[in-house]
mmCIF file of all heavy atoms in Angstrom:
data_model
loop_
_atom_site.group_PDB
_atom_site.id
_atom_site.type_symbol
_atom_site.label_atom_id
_atom_site.label_comp_id
_atom_site.label_asym_id
_atom_site.label_seq_id
_atom_site.Cartn_x
_atom_site.Cartn_y
_atom_site.Cartn_z
ATOM 1 N N SER A 95 0.833 -1.212 0.000
ATOM 2 C CA SER A 95 0.000 0.000 0.000
ATOM 3 C C SER A 95 0.866 1.260 0.000
ATOM 4 O O SER A 95 0.523 2.259 -0.647
ATOM 5 C CB SER A 95 -0.922 -0.002 1.225
ATOM 6 O OG SER A 95 -1.807 -1.105 1.202
ATOM 7 N N ILE A 96 1.982 1.231 0.724
ATOM 8 C CA ILE A 96 2.908 2.370 0.728
ATOM 9 C C ILE A 96 3.424 2.639 -0.679
ATOM 10 O O ILE A 96 3.428 3.785 -1.153
ATOM 11 C CB ILE A 96 4.076 2.096 1.690
ATOM 12 C CG1 ILE A 96 3.596 2.116 3.142
ATOM 13 C CG2 ILE A 96 5.199 3.130 1.496
ATOM 14 C CD1 ILE A 96 4.646 1.634 4.134
ATOM 15 N N LEU A 97 3.835 1.584 -1.372
ATOM 16 C CA LEU A 97 4.378 1.738 -2.720
ATOM 17 C C LEU A 97 3.298 2.215 -3.691
ATOM 18 O O LEU A 97 3.567 3.057 -4.569
ATOM 19 C CB LEU A 97 4.988 0.423 -3.195
ATOM 20 C CG LEU A 97 6.129 -0.137 -2.337
ATOM 21 C CD1 LEU A 97 6.666 -1.428 -2.936
ATOM 22 C CD2 LEU A 97 7.242 0.881 -2.178
ATOM 23 N N GLU A 98 2.088 1.707 -3.556
ATOM 24 C CA GLU A 98 0.986 2.138 -4.419
ATOM 25 C C GLU A 98 0.708 3.627 -4.250
ATOM 26 O O GLU A 98 0.541 4.354 -5.235
ATOM 27 C CB GLU A 98 -0.278 1.336 -4.104
ATOM 28 C CG GLU A 98 -0.247 -0.106 -4.546
ATOM 29 C CD GLU A 98 -1.464 -0.870 -4.072
ATOM 30 O OE1 GLU A 98 -2.262 -0.318 -3.277
ATOM 31 O OE2 GLU A 98 -1.634 -2.029 -4.487
ATOM 32 N N ALA A 99 0.643 4.073 -2.999
ATOM 33 C CA ALA A 99 0.328 5.475 -2.733
ATOM 34 C C ALA A 99 1.448 6.396 -3.194
ATOM 35 O O ALA A 99 1.193 7.506 -3.671
ATOM 36 C CB ALA A 99 0.059 5.671 -1.245
ATOM 37 N N PHE A 100 2.684 5.969 -3.045
ATOM 38 C CA PHE A 100 3.810 6.795 -3.461
ATOM 39 C C PHE A 100 3.858 6.948 -4.979
ATOM 40 O O PHE A 100 4.039 8.047 -5.494
ATOM 41 C CB PHE A 100 5.125 6.187 -2.966
ATOM 42 C CG PHE A 100 6.344 6.948 -3.406
ATOM 43 C CD1 PHE A 100 6.798 8.037 -2.678
ATOM 44 C CD2 PHE A 100 7.047 6.579 -4.553
ATOM 45 C CE1 PHE A 100 7.921 8.760 -3.083
ATOM 46 C CE2 PHE A 100 8.167 7.277 -4.963
ATOM 47 C CZ PHE A 100 8.604 8.379 -4.222
ATOM 48 N N ALA A 101 3.700 5.851 -5.688
ATOM 49 C CA ALA A 101 3.924 5.845 -7.133
ATOM 50 C C ALA A 101 2.696 6.213 -7.953
ATOM 51 O O ALA A 101 2.810 6.825 -9.015
ATOM 52 C CB ALA A 101 4.450 4.474 -7.563
ATOM 53 N N GLY A 102 1.501 5.817 -7.478
ATOM 54 C CA GLY A 102 0.314 5.987 -8.298
ATOM 55 C C GLY A 102 0.196 4.884 -9.333
ATOM 56 O O GLY A 102 1.009 3.944 -9.363
ATOM 57 N N PRO A 103 -0.790 4.954 -10.235
ATOM 58 C CA PRO A 103 -0.985 3.912 -11.254
ATOM 59 C C PRO A 103 0.273 3.722 -12.105
ATOM 60 O O PRO A 103 0.960 4.692 -12.427
ATOM 61 C CB PRO A 103 -2.142 4.458 -12.112
ATOM 62 C CG PRO A 103 -2.868 5.396 -11.200
ATOM 63 C CD PRO A 103 -1.820 6.006 -10.319
ATOM 64 N N PRO A 104 0.599 2.478 -12.484
ATOM 65 C CA PRO A 104 1.865 2.215 -13.181
ATOM 66 C C PRO A 104 1.961 2.851 -14.561
ATOM 67 O O PRO A 104 3.073 3.079 -15.054
ATOM 68 C CB PRO A 104 1.903 0.686 -13.270
ATOM 69 C CG PRO A 104 0.492 0.238 -13.114
ATOM 70 C CD PRO A 104 -0.153 1.237 -12.209
ATOM 71 N N ASP A 105 0.836 3.140 -15.203
ATOM 72 C CA ASP A 105 0.889 3.687 -16.554
ATOM 73 C C ASP A 105 0.956 5.209 -16.589
ATOM 74 O O ASP A 105 1.314 5.787 -17.620
ATOM 75 C CB ASP A 105 -0.326 3.224 -17.366
ATOM 76 C CG ASP A 105 -1.636 3.618 -16.718
ATOM 77 O OD1 ASP A 105 -1.654 3.854 -15.490
ATOM 78 O OD2 ASP A 105 -2.653 3.699 -17.435
ATOM 79 N N CYS A 106 0.643 5.872 -15.470
ATOM 80 C CA CYS A 106 0.618 7.340 -15.501
ATOM 81 C C CYS A 106 1.101 7.989 -14.216
ATOM 82 O O CYS A 106 1.406 9.182 -14.202
ATOM 83 C CB CYS A 106 -0.799 7.836 -15.822
ATOM 84 S SG CYS A 106 -2.041 7.337 -14.611
ATOM 85 N N GLY A 107 1.162 7.254 -13.130
ATOM 86 C CA GLY A 107 1.565 7.829 -11.855
ATOM 87 C C GLY A 107 0.473 8.717 -11.269
ATOM 88 O O GLY A 107 -0.669 8.708 -11.718
ATOM 89 N N GLU A 108 0.849 9.481 -10.246
ATOM 90 C CA GLU A 108 -0.084 10.418 -9.611
ATOM 91 C C GLU A 108 0.697 11.629 -9.126
ATOM 92 O O GLU A 108 1.750 11.489 -8.500
ATOM 93 C CB GLU A 108 -0.808 9.749 -8.446
ATOM 94 C CG GLU A 108 -1.858 10.633 -7.806
ATOM 95 C CD GLU A 108 -2.751 9.877 -6.838
ATOM 96 O OE1 GLU A 108 -2.821 8.631 -6.951
ATOM 97 O OE2 GLU A 108 -3.367 10.534 -5.988
ATOM 98 N N TYR A 109 0.187 12.819 -9.436
ATOM 99 C CA TYR A 109 0.923 14.046 -9.144
ATOM 100 C C TYR A 109 1.001 14.307 -7.641
ATOM 101 O O TYR A 109 0.019 14.164 -6.914
ATOM 102 C CB TYR A 109 0.267 15.241 -9.838
ATOM 103 C CG TYR A 109 1.038 16.528 -9.657
ATOM 104 C CD1 TYR A 109 2.236 16.738 -10.332
ATOM 105 C CD2 TYR A 109 0.591 17.508 -8.775
ATOM 106 C CE1 TYR A 109 2.957 17.911 -10.166
ATOM 107 C CE2 TYR A 109 1.307 18.694 -8.598
ATOM 108 C CZ TYR A 109 2.492 18.882 -9.296
ATOM 109 O OH TYR A 109 3.214 20.037 -9.112
ATOM 110 N N SER A 110 2.187 14.703 -7.207
ATOM 111 C CA SER A 110 2.414 15.071 -5.806
ATOM 112 C C SER A 110 2.749 16.555 -5.744
ATOM 113 O O SER A 110 3.788 16.974 -6.266
ATOM 114 C CB SER A 110 3.557 14.263 -5.210
ATOM 115 O OG SER A 110 3.970 14.811 -3.977
ATOM 116 N N PRO A 111 1.909 17.374 -5.087
ATOM 117 C CA PRO A 111 2.206 18.799 -4.970
ATOM 118 C C PRO A 111 3.208 19.127 -3.871
ATOM 119 O O PRO A 111 3.663 20.266 -3.781
ATOM 120 C CB PRO A 111 0.842 19.400 -4.662
ATOM 121 C CG PRO A 111 0.111 18.327 -3.924
ATOM 122 C CD PRO A 111 0.582 17.035 -4.533
ATOM 123 N N SER A 112 3.551 18.141 -3.024
ATOM 124 C CA SER A 112 4.506 18.369 -1.941
ATOM 125 C C SER A 112 4.849 17.032 -1.304
ATOM 126 O O SER A 112 4.105 16.053 -1.427
ATOM 127 C CB SER A 112 3.929 19.310 -0.874
ATOM 128 O OG SER A 112 2.854 18.684 -0.187
ATOM 129 N N TYR A 113 5.971 17.017 -0.586
ATOM 130 C CA TYR A 113 6.316 15.847 0.209
ATOM 131 C C TYR A 113 5.266 15.612 1.291
ATOM 132 O O TYR A 113 4.929 14.476 1.620
ATOM 133 C CB TYR A 113 7.699 16.034 0.849
ATOM 134 C CG TYR A 113 8.858 15.730 -0.065
ATOM 135 C CD1 TYR A 113 9.310 16.663 -0.996
ATOM 136 C CD2 TYR A 113 9.507 14.500 -0.005
ATOM 137 C CE1 TYR A 113 10.387 16.386 -1.829
ATOM 138 C CE2 TYR A 113 10.582 14.212 -0.837
ATOM 139 C CZ TYR A 113 11.012 15.162 -1.754
ATOM 140 O OH TYR A 113 12.076 14.878 -2.581
ATOM 141 N N GLN A 114 4.741 16.692 1.855
ATOM 142 C CA GLN A 114 3.726 16.569 2.908
ATOM 143 C C GLN A 114 2.486 15.840 2.398
ATOM 144 O O GLN A 114 1.929 14.971 3.081
ATOM 145 C CB GLN A 114 3.348 17.960 3.441
ATOM 146 C CG GLN A 114 4.439 18.639 4.243
ATOM 147 C CD GLN A 114 5.384 19.469 3.390
ATOM 148 O OE1 GLN A 114 5.537 19.241 2.195
ATOM 149 N NE2 GLN A 114 6.024 20.458 4.015
ATOM 150 N N LYS A 115 2.057 16.195 1.184
ATOM 151 C CA LYS A 115 0.875 15.555 0.608
ATOM 152 C C LYS A 115 1.139 14.077 0.338
ATOM 153 O O LYS A 115 0.263 13.230 0.539
ATOM 154 C CB LYS A 115 0.465 16.271 -0.681
ATOM 155 C CG LYS A 115 -0.721 15.649 -1.389
ATOM 156 C CD LYS A 115 -1.968 15.611 -0.512
ATOM 157 C CE LYS A 115 -3.153 15.028 -1.275
ATOM 158 N NZ LYS A 115 -4.337 14.832 -0.393
ATOM 159 N N THR A 116 2.350 13.765 -0.090
ATOM 160 C CA THR A 116 2.704 12.369 -0.323
ATOM 161 C C THR A 116 2.656 11.568 0.971
ATOM 162 O O THR A 116 2.146 10.444 1.006
ATOM 163 C CB THR A 116 4.107 12.271 -0.946
ATOM 164 O OG1 THR A 116 4.078 12.891 -2.241
ATOM 165 C CG2 THR A 116 4.545 10.822 -1.101
ATOM 166 N N VAL A 117 3.165 12.145 2.060
ATOM 167 C CA VAL A 117 3.113 11.481 3.362
ATOM 168 C C VAL A 117 1.662 11.195 3.745
ATOM 169 O O VAL A 117 1.318 10.076 4.165
ATOM 170 C CB VAL A 117 3.811 12.339 4.435
ATOM 171 C CG1 VAL A 117 3.474 11.830 5.841
ATOM 172 C CG2 VAL A 117 5.315 12.321 4.227
ATOM 173 N N ASN A 118 0.798 12.174 3.608
ATOM 174 C CA ASN A 118 -0.606 11.998 3.965
ATOM 175 C C ASN A 118 -1.285 10.966 3.072
ATOM 176 O O ASN A 118 -2.104 10.166 3.533
ATOM 177 C CB ASN A 118 -1.346 13.334 3.892
ATOM 178 C CG ASN A 118 -2.820 13.202 4.245
ATOM 179 O OD1 ASN A 118 -3.685 13.197 3.370
ATOM 180 N ND2 ASN A 118 -3.116 13.082 5.532
ATOM 181 N N SER A 119 -0.959 10.981 1.783
ATOM 182 C CA SER A 119 -1.561 10.014 0.862
ATOM 183 C C SER A 119 -1.187 8.592 1.236
ATOM 184 O O SER A 119 -2.013 7.673 1.164
ATOM 185 C CB SER A 119 -1.113 10.314 -0.573
ATOM 186 O OG SER A 119 -1.581 11.578 -0.997
ATOM 187 N N ILE A 120 0.060 8.399 1.652
ATOM 188 C CA ILE A 120 0.490 7.072 2.095
ATOM 189 C C ILE A 120 -0.310 6.632 3.314
ATOM 190 O O ILE A 120 -0.812 5.496 3.381
ATOM 191 C CB ILE A 120 2.000 7.091 2.411
ATOM 192 C CG1 ILE A 120 2.811 7.224 1.116
ATOM 193 C CG2 ILE A 120 2.414 5.830 3.185
ATOM 194 C CD1 ILE A 120 4.293 7.449 1.337
ATOM 195 N N GLN A 121 -0.454 7.520 4.282
ATOM 196 C CA GLN A 121 -1.183 7.170 5.508
ATOM 197 C C GLN A 121 -2.647 6.864 5.219
ATOM 198 O O GLN A 121 -3.196 5.869 5.715
ATOM 199 C CB GLN A 121 -1.075 8.324 6.501
ATOM 200 C CG GLN A 121 0.333 8.545 7.031
ATOM 201 C CD GLN A 121 0.445 9.809 7.847
ATOM 202 O OE1 GLN A 121 0.024 10.880 7.420
ATOM 203 N NE2 GLN A 121 1.016 9.693 9.036
ATOM 204 N N MET A 122 -3.295 7.701 4.418
ATOM 205 C CA MET A 122 -4.703 7.491 4.107
ATOM 206 C C MET A 122 -4.907 6.181 3.352
ATOM 207 O O MET A 122 -5.887 5.458 3.589
ATOM 208 C CB MET A 122 -5.224 8.667 3.278
ATOM 209 C CG MET A 122 -5.278 9.990 4.031
ATOM 210 S SD MET A 122 -6.518 9.995 5.354
ATOM 211 C CE MET A 122 -8.029 9.974 4.401
ATOM 212 N N HIS A 123 -3.990 5.869 2.449
ATOM 213 C CA HIS A 123 -4.120 4.643 1.663
ATOM 214 C C HIS A 123 -3.968 3.415 2.551
ATOM 215 O O HIS A 123 -4.733 2.442 2.419
ATOM 216 C CB HIS A 123 -3.075 4.639 0.548
ATOM 217 C CG HIS A 123 -3.333 3.624 -0.519
ATOM 218 N ND1 HIS A 123 -4.490 3.589 -1.266
ATOM 219 C CD2 HIS A 123 -2.575 2.575 -0.963
ATOM 220 C CE1 HIS A 123 -4.447 2.587 -2.126
ATOM 221 N NE2 HIS A 123 -3.292 1.949 -1.953
ATOM 222 N N VAL A 124 -3.000 3.443 3.460
ATOM 223 C CA VAL A 124 -2.807 2.304 4.366
ATOM 224 C C VAL A 124 -4.031 2.117 5.258
ATOM 225 O O VAL A 124 -4.520 0.992 5.438
ATOM 226 C CB VAL A 124 -1.534 2.498 5.211
ATOM 227 C CG1 VAL A 124 -1.456 1.451 6.330
ATOM 228 C CG2 VAL A 124 -0.284 2.430 4.344
ATOM 229 N N LEU A 125 -4.538 3.204 5.836
ATOM 230 C CA LEU A 125 -5.711 3.101 6.719
ATOM 231 C C LEU A 125 -6.938 2.587 5.973
ATOM 232 O O LEU A 125 -7.776 1.891 6.550
ATOM 233 C CB LEU A 125 -6.004 4.452 7.360
ATOM 234 C CG LEU A 125 -5.000 4.927 8.425
ATOM 235 C CD1 LEU A 125 -5.284 6.366 8.826
ATOM 236 C CD2 LEU A 125 -5.035 4.027 9.654
ATOM 237 N N SER A 126 -7.052 2.920 4.694
ATOM 238 C CA SER A 126 -8.206 2.462 3.915
ATOM 239 C C SER A 126 -8.082 0.996 3.505
ATOM 240 O O SER A 126 -9.082 0.308 3.319
ATOM 241 C CB SER A 126 -8.385 3.326 2.665
ATOM 242 O OG SER A 126 -7.335 3.124 1.736
ATOM 243 N N LYS A 127 -6.835 0.522 3.378
ATOM 244 C CA LYS A 127 -6.607 -0.841 2.895
ATOM 245 C C LYS A 127 -6.445 -1.866 4.015
ATOM 246 O O LYS A 127 -6.712 -3.059 3.818
ATOM 247 C CB LYS A 127 -5.348 -0.866 2.019
ATOM 248 C CG LYS A 127 -5.480 -0.159 0.679
ATOM 249 C CD LYS A 127 -6.287 -0.976 -0.302
ATOM 250 C CE LYS A 127 -6.270 -0.373 -1.681
ATOM 251 N NZ LYS A 127 -7.006 -1.199 -2.680
ATOM 252 N N VAL A 128 -5.989 -1.397 5.183
ATOM 253 C CA VAL A 128 -5.634 -2.341 6.252
ATOM 254 C C VAL A 128 -6.376 -1.958 7.533
ATOM 255 O O VAL A 128 -5.923 -1.094 8.294
ATOM 256 C CB VAL A 128 -4.107 -2.342 6.497
ATOM 257 C CG1 VAL A 128 -3.730 -3.478 7.449
ATOM 258 C CG2 VAL A 128 -3.338 -2.467 5.183
ATOM 259 N N PRO A 129 -7.514 -2.575 7.803
ATOM 260 C CA PRO A 129 -8.331 -2.183 8.962
ATOM 261 C C PRO A 129 -7.660 -2.463 10.305
ATOM 262 O O PRO A 129 -8.044 -1.876 11.316
ATOM 263 C CB PRO A 129 -9.605 -3.014 8.789
ATOM 264 C CG PRO A 129 -9.205 -4.177 7.925
ATOM 265 C CD PRO A 129 -8.156 -3.642 7.009
ATOM 266 N N GLN A 130 -6.664 -3.349 10.340
ATOM 267 C CA GLN A 130 -6.002 -3.670 11.613
ATOM 268 C C GLN A 130 -5.135 -2.513 12.122
ATOM 269 O O GLN A 130 -4.833 -2.444 13.308
ATOM 270 C CB GLN A 130 -5.123 -4.924 11.452
ATOM 271 C CG GLN A 130 -5.890 -6.192 11.148
ATOM 272 C CD GLN A 130 -6.073 -6.422 9.650
ATOM 273 O OE1 GLN A 130 -5.898 -5.510 8.856
ATOM 274 N NE2 GLN A 130 -6.416 -7.640 9.282
ATOM 275 N N VAL A 131 -4.728 -1.616 11.236
ATOM 276 C CA VAL A 131 -3.883 -0.492 11.633
ATOM 277 C C VAL A 131 -4.740 0.603 12.256
ATOM 278 O O VAL A 131 -5.728 1.046 11.671
ATOM 279 C CB VAL A 131 -3.113 0.069 10.415
ATOM 280 C CG1 VAL A 131 -2.365 1.346 10.795
ATOM 281 C CG2 VAL A 131 -2.147 -0.977 9.881
ATOM 282 N N GLN A 132 -4.344 1.042 13.449
ATOM 283 C CA GLN A 132 -5.092 2.080 14.158
ATOM 284 C C GLN A 132 -4.434 3.455 14.049
ATOM 285 O O GLN A 132 -5.108 4.462 13.884
ATOM 286 C CB GLN A 132 -5.248 1.697 15.634
ATOM 287 C CG GLN A 132 -5.990 0.398 15.852
ATOM 288 C CD GLN A 132 -7.383 0.410 15.258
ATOM 289 O OE1 GLN A 132 -8.134 1.363 15.446
ATOM 290 N NE2 GLN A 132 -7.736 -0.630 14.531
ATOM 291 N N VAL A 133 -3.129 3.488 14.176
ATOM 292 C CA VAL A 133 -2.365 4.741 14.091
ATOM 293 C C VAL A 133 -1.140 4.470 13.233
ATOM 294 O O VAL A 133 -0.501 3.414 13.364
ATOM 295 C CB VAL A 133 -1.920 5.240 15.484
ATOM 296 C CG1 VAL A 133 -1.096 6.518 15.363
ATOM 297 C CG2 VAL A 133 -3.128 5.481 16.375
ATOM 298 N N ILE A 134 -0.796 5.418 12.349
ATOM 299 C CA ILE A 134 0.360 5.244 11.489
ATOM 300 C C ILE A 134 1.194 6.518 11.470
ATOM 301 O O ILE A 134 0.663 7.624 11.290
ATOM 302 C CB ILE A 134 -0.051 4.830 10.052
ATOM 303 C CG1 ILE A 134 1.180 4.686 9.160
ATOM 304 C CG2 ILE A 134 -1.056 5.795 9.456
ATOM 305 C CD1 ILE A 134 0.891 4.039 7.820
ATOM 306 N N GLU A 135 2.478 6.364 11.705
ATOM 307 C CA GLU A 135 3.444 7.458 11.669
ATOM 308 C C GLU A 135 4.327 7.292 10.440
ATOM 309 O O GLU A 135 4.819 6.196 10.162
ATOM 310 C CB GLU A 135 4.320 7.442 12.924
ATOM 311 C CG GLU A 135 5.462 8.449 12.903
ATOM 312 C CD GLU A 135 6.475 8.233 14.017
ATOM 313 O OE1 GLU A 135 6.310 7.256 14.779
ATOM 314 O OE2 GLU A 135 7.440 9.014 14.101
ATOM 315 N N VAL A 136 4.508 8.369 9.680
ATOM 316 C CA VAL A 136 5.370 8.338 8.507
ATOM 317 C C VAL A 136 6.340 9.506 8.567
ATOM 318 O O VAL A 136 5.939 10.639 8.833
ATOM 319 C CB VAL A 136 4.557 8.407 7.190
ATOM 320 C CG1 VAL A 136 5.497 8.540 5.989
ATOM 321 C CG2 VAL A 136 3.693 7.169 7.029
ATOM 322 N N VAL A 137 7.614 9.216 8.350
ATOM 323 C CA VAL A 137 8.648 10.241 8.233
ATOM 324 C C VAL A 137 9.312 10.046 6.874
ATOM 325 O O VAL A 137 9.717 8.926 6.534
ATOM 326 C CB VAL A 137 9.702 10.126 9.351
ATOM 327 C CG1 VAL A 137 10.767 11.203 9.176
ATOM 328 C CG2 VAL A 137 9.048 10.223 10.719
ATOM 329 N N LEU A 138 9.394 11.127 6.105
ATOM 330 C CA LEU A 138 10.024 11.069 4.789
ATOM 331 C C LEU A 138 11.162 12.077 4.756
ATOM 332 O O LEU A 138 10.937 13.292 4.772
ATOM 333 C CB LEU A 138 9.005 11.373 3.689
ATOM 334 C CG LEU A 138 9.483 11.196 2.247
ATOM 335 C CD1 LEU A 138 9.930 9.760 2.000
ATOM 336 C CD2 LEU A 138 8.375 11.576 1.263
ATOM 337 N N ASN A 139 12.394 11.563 4.775
ATOM 338 C CA ASN A 139 13.584 12.411 4.677
ATOM 339 C C ASN A 139 13.929 12.615 3.209
ATOM 340 O O ASN A 139 14.149 11.644 2.475
ATOM 341 C CB ASN A 139 14.759 11.767 5.423
ATOM 342 C CG ASN A 139 14.514 11.691 6.912
ATOM 343 O OD1 ASN A 139 13.911 12.576 7.507
ATOM 344 N ND2 ASN A 139 14.964 10.612 7.536
ATOM 345 N N ASN A 140 13.989 13.864 2.784
ATOM 346 C CA ASN A 140 14.049 14.186 1.369
ATOM 347 C C ASN A 140 15.472 14.198 0.832
ATOM 348 O O ASN A 140 16.401 14.640 1.505
ATOM 349 C CB ASN A 140 13.435 15.565 1.112
ATOM 350 C CG ASN A 140 12.119 15.752 1.847
ATOM 351 O OD1 ASN A 140 11.463 14.777 2.190
ATOM 352 N ND2 ASN A 140 11.735 16.988 2.083
ATOM 353 N N THR A 141 15.616 13.761 -0.404
ATOM 354 C CA THR A 141 16.853 13.924 -1.157
ATOM 355 C C THR A 141 16.542 14.772 -2.381
ATOM 356 O O THR A 141 15.687 14.402 -3.193
ATOM 357 C CB THR A 141 17.432 12.571 -1.599
ATOM 358 O OG1 THR A 141 17.728 11.785 -0.449
ATOM 359 C CG2 THR A 141 18.707 12.772 -2.411
#
C-alpha cells in the first residue's frame, strides 16, 4: 500500500504537490486498505 500510494498507477503515476501531501496520501491509503492499523506514523527524509 505504501508503494501504491507513493507511485500511483503504473501507466501514468499520480501528481504530488509536496512531500507533505505524499506522506498523507500514504497514511490514508494504508488506513483504507488495512483495517487492523489504528495509528500510522510516517517520516520522509528528502533527497
Side-chain angles (χ1 to χ4, degrees):
S95 298
I96 290 171
L97 301 181
E98 289 174 352
F100 177 85
D105 58 338
C106 61
E108 184 169 339
Y109 184 73
S110 167
S112 68
Y113 279 81
Q114 290 89 336
K115 178 59 178 173
T116 296
V117 166
N118 180 257
S119 296
I120 290 172
Q121 293 172 310
M122 293 292 290
H123 195 58
V124 170
L125 289 171
S126 68
K127 290 285 188 177
V128 189
Q130 295 90 344
V131 173
Q132 300 302 313
V133 178
I134 179 169
E135 173 191 3
V136 173
V137 179
L138 187 60
N139 294 324
N140 315 337
T141 299

